[in-house]
Amino acid sequence: MNLQEFWKNALAEIELQISHPNFATWLKSSQLVEKNEGVALVSLPNNFAKNWVETKYHKIILGALRNLDETVKKVEFTVINNQSNGAIKKTPENIAENESGQLVFSEFEVDPETNLNPKYTLSSFVVGRSNELAHAAALAIIQEMGKKYNPFFVYGGVGVGKTHLLQGIGNEIKNKYQDKVKVKYVTSEKFLNEVVWAMRNKRMETIKEKYRLIDALIIDDIQFIGGKQRTEEEFFHTFNALYQNNKQIIVSSDKPPRFIPTLQERLRSRFEGGMIVDIGYPDYELKINIIKNMIEKKSSALSDEVVVVIASKVQKNLRELEGVLNKILFYKNTKKTEISPKMAEQIISETLQKPTLNINPNQIIKVVAEVFGVSLNDLVSRSRKKELTHPRQIAMYLLREVLSLSYPFIGEKIGKRDHTTAIYAYEKISENLNKNAELNQKVLTIKELLGKGD
Ligand code: ADP
Ligand code: MG
């Protein structure tokens, strides 16, 4: 057995022990360079890959080699950047992607018929532990539209890649089936606006016809549809019409169906009858892979240390991560300088500065007053005007919810009121949050302004 074959057999075993995306990222382009006196020398295409593989997969690799040849006692790693033998060979796919880097404008060209943005593809969607199930389901759906996993419900926090995945599915369906299928992507807000417009203009039939001709309907951020009765009703009918005809329905949300407080039961149970998957927050490894991927796409380069700094400092949100990376690359290009880890840290802390984590009661009162457009004095006054009592109750609710202040303190703070008033306000708002989407949204906005959003 020559070295190449030997390594191929070892890789086959290694592949069983680590996740597919990791294998593809780190080991596909590795080679066995030497096997001599009990030492196996494995090459990786760059320093970064070498360090990574050395620390993470050393044991697995040694085990696999020893299974094939007991005389192997030790593995060492080296960097060989040999493009011609395929070490970092470009596939036609990523060449096309790199070249489309010139077509910067096409990144923003949303197809008006499908509402799909060609920049979000499944091939640029990096797979890791937190999203591999969602990704696998996406692939299955594309193969067997409408049959498998219907409806498909993806949920997850802000910036974890829901829109990217949904758009990627849409683009892939379009590529695969071309004009044979009609795909449409809409945000639930857009759907809502269309329904409102149609109602006003007595054109509901147009909407019905339009949506019922679709083969794959993708609705992003469905949580905003809850509580908007007519829109939800219309969506429900569209849903049923499509579903009964085996058309594919794909939805995303920030939470699972049973936690969308305002969603009607019948729609909720429809979603629960399909496939529900979550996308979690990315782990360190996925962040590293995504950063590398983004850098490559922009045909730029950053040192491994800087990549590590970005992955460790940006906690969960991949949109934030992209923003930080763009800023660093921009800095690098305009200043024509290499980025040191220290500079990266500086840029990151400037970008990610949170409004304030030490919130005090006055800040809450101030933000509530601003959001409702009332004056601070009025908010804490004794006046019982209706336009004041509602924001006042929200302020009390937030003082309790965010700062866990005592009811007597809250009553005193908001216009020298009795503690029972504060209790009543807290309970009333808590209860209404589950029934009233608009109120829910308002409270979330206020929390976000306070830097307490997720
Ligand atoms: P969400 O819709 O969940 O809020 P997005 O889909 O808008 O998140 O993702 C935020 C950003 O992160 C986008 O620019 C997206 O392309 C990028 N992104 C998210 N997940 C991935 C991934 N797995 N691979 C590559 N880029 C990703
Ligand atoms: Mg989104």
Side-chain angles (χ1 to χ4, degrees):
M1 209 184 325
N2 65 21
L3 280 181
Q4 214 178 344
E5 272 173 45
F6 185 83
W7 186 233
K8 220 171 122 189
N9 289 339
L11 281 180
E13 191 178 322
I14 295 166
E15 193 172 5
L16 298 176
Q17 299 181 55
I18 62 184
S19 75
H20 176 70
N22 277 317
F23 182 81
T25 309
W26 303 108
L27 287 160
K28 260 225 159 106
S29 44
S30 62
Q31 273 157 10
L32 185 60
V33 197
E34 225 176 68
K35 185 160 68 81
N36 230 340
E37 294 176 0
V39 181
L41 185 64
V42 173
S43 79
L44 280 312
N46 57 54
N47 231 328
F48 193 71
K50 173 182 168 257
N51 292 340
W52 191 269
V53 169
E54 200 163 14
T55 46
K56 301 270 296 194
Y57 307 123
H58 183 249
K59 263 203 186 132
I60 293 177
I61 293 172
L62 181 63
L65 289 170
R66 282 180 56 83
N67 275 347
L68 295 171
D69 177 355
E70 276 192 358
T71 67
V72 177
K73 297 276 179 283
K74 203 171 158 194
V75 194
E76 284 177 357
F77 297 89
T78 183
V79 174
I80 297 182
N81 186 347
N82 188 350
Q83 302 212 12
S84 61
N85 69 6
I88 43 171
K89 205 171 82 192
K90 295 224 178 298
T91 62
E93 201 179 51
N94 60 35
I95 288 174
E97 241 167 47
N98 275 348
E99 281 169 358
S100 77
Q102 299 162 353
L103 309 169
V104 182
F105 292 115
S106 81
E107 285 204 4
F108 306 102
E109 247 173 44
V110 172
D111 177 340
E113 197 182 311
T114 59
N115 295 326
L116 291 170
N117 183 335
K119 105 173 188 184
Y120 294 118
T121 62
L122 285 187
S123 60
S124 67
F125 188 82
V126 183
V127 184
R129 215 168 304 151
S130 52
N131 60 20
E132 62 189 347
L133 191 57
H135 179 256
L139 296 181
I141 284 168
I142 293 161
Q143 290 310 318
E144 298 182 65
M145 259 179 49
K147 297 186 194 120
K148 219 168 192 178
Y149 309 147
N150 200 21
F152 180 44
F153 192 103
V154 185
Y155 72 91
V158 175
V160 295
K162 301 180 298 290
T163 297
H164 189 142
L165 184 71
L166 261 57
Q167 286 255 344
I169 297 175
N171 278 315
E172 195 57 40
I173 289 177
K174 205 70 218 165
N175 275 343
K176 188 171 158 77
Y177 302 98
Q178 302 282 327
D179 291 336
K180 283 188 235 111
V181 300
K182 253 179 134 50
V183 182
K184 194 159 204 80
Y185 166 96
V186 275
T187 61
S188 68
E189 269 163 324
K190 187 162 180 241
F191 185 79
L192 197 140
N193 288 340
E194 278 186 41
V195 172
V196 170
W197 178 89
M199 265 158 39
R200 250 186 227 137
N201 295 283
K202 308 210 165 20
R203 298 281 289 278
M204 277 319 286
E205 284 314 307
T206 326
I207 291 246
K208 282 193 171 57
E209 275 165 32
K210 180 172 142 192
Y211 277 94
R212 281 159 212 194
L213 288 174
I214 292 168
D215 300 291
L217 177 62
I218 306 172
I219 303 230
D220 207 353
D221 290 322
I222 194 93
Q223 71 271 17
F224 296 126
I225 237 173
K228 320 266 184 343
Q229 238 193 20
R230 186 64 206 266
T231 315
E232 210 179 324
E233 174 104 10
E234 198 46 46
F235 178 72
F236 182 73
H237 291 308
T238 307
F239 180 98
N240 282 341
L242 293 178
Y243 184 74
Q244 277 154 15
N245 288 309
N246 297 321
K247 307 295 189 185
Q248 181 68 46
I249 297 150
I250 300 163
V251 260
S252 84
S253 163
D254 63 345
K255 36 181 126 45
R258 74 200 138 98
F259 288 130
I260 306 176
T262 47
L263 206 60
Q264 284 176 29
E265 192 48 46
R266 55 182 189 172
L267 198 48
R268 186 174 315 177
S269 67
R270 284 287 195 279
F271 289 148
E272 279 170 351
M275 167 86 165
I276 303 179
V277 217
D278 74 316
I279 300 186
Y281 287 112
D283 57 14
Y284 180 65
E285 214 164 318
L286 179 59
K287 283 187 283 183
I288 296 260
N289 290 349
I290 290 178
I291 298 167
K292 288 179 50 170
N293 195 281
M294 286 176 177
I295 296 175
E296 197 186 312
K297 258 182 150 173
K298 293 175 201 291
S299 311
S300 193
L302 288 175
S303 75
D304 300 345
E305 289 84 358
V306 169
V307 171
V308 165
V309 166
I310 303 173
S312 344
K313 295 274 170 188
V314 182
Q315 285 305 327
K316 321 191 250 190
N317 188 327
L318 294 172
R319 198 169 306 137
E320 229 165 52
L321 187 133
E322 195 177 21
V324 163
L325 187 64
N326 280 336
K327 214 161 171 182
I328 292 176
L329 293 178
F330 180 76
Y331 195 85
K332 177 182 163 164
N333 290 341
T334 46
K335 302 254 181 209
K336 306 226 177 307
T337 170
E338 278 310 309
I339 301 290
S340 70
K342 244 205 149 79
M343 282 153 85
E345 270 182 41
Q346 177 69 26
I347 296 172
I348 293 168
S349 73
E350 278 165 19
T351 316
L352 299 186
Q353 243 173 29
K354 291 276 178 235
T356 167
L357 287 177
N358 294 324
I359 301 165
N360 65 44
N362 291 340
Q363 280 166 309
I364 293 186
I365 298 169
K366 190 162 160 267
V367 173
V368 172
E370 268 166 20
V371 167
F372 284 91
V374 299
S375 82
L376 254 180
N377 283 341
D378 282 348
L379 192 71
V380 300
S381 72
R382 311 262 324 152
S383 154
R384 286 163 179 265
K385 277 193 200 145
K386 189 151 188 300
E387 58 270 31
L388 294 175
T389 52
H390 181 57
R392 199 176 278 145
Q393 284 176 339
I394 290 183
M396 293 190 192
Y397 165 83
L398 286 167
L399 287 172
R400 179 76 187 173
E401 179 73 18
V402 176
L403 297 179
S404 310
L405 294 170
S406 75
Y407 289 119
F409 179 91
I410 295 172
E412 179 67 25
K413 187 92 195 152
I414 310 277
K416 298 195 177 357
R417 290 180 159 77
D418 189 67
H419 72 280
T420 52
T421 313
I423 295 174
Y424 174 76
Y426 180 77
E427 283 174 357
K428 182 174 166 200
I429 299 295
S430 305
E431 199 187 315
N432 285 347
L433 280 180
N434 285 335
K435 297 186 206 145
N436 184 335
E438 203 180 323
L439 175 67
N440 198 25
Q441 194 52 45
K442 260 202 178 120
V443 169
L444 287 178
T445 308
I446 296 169
K447 281 189 178 171
E448 222 157 74
L449 289 170
L450 287 166
K452 284 291 284 183
D454 291 326

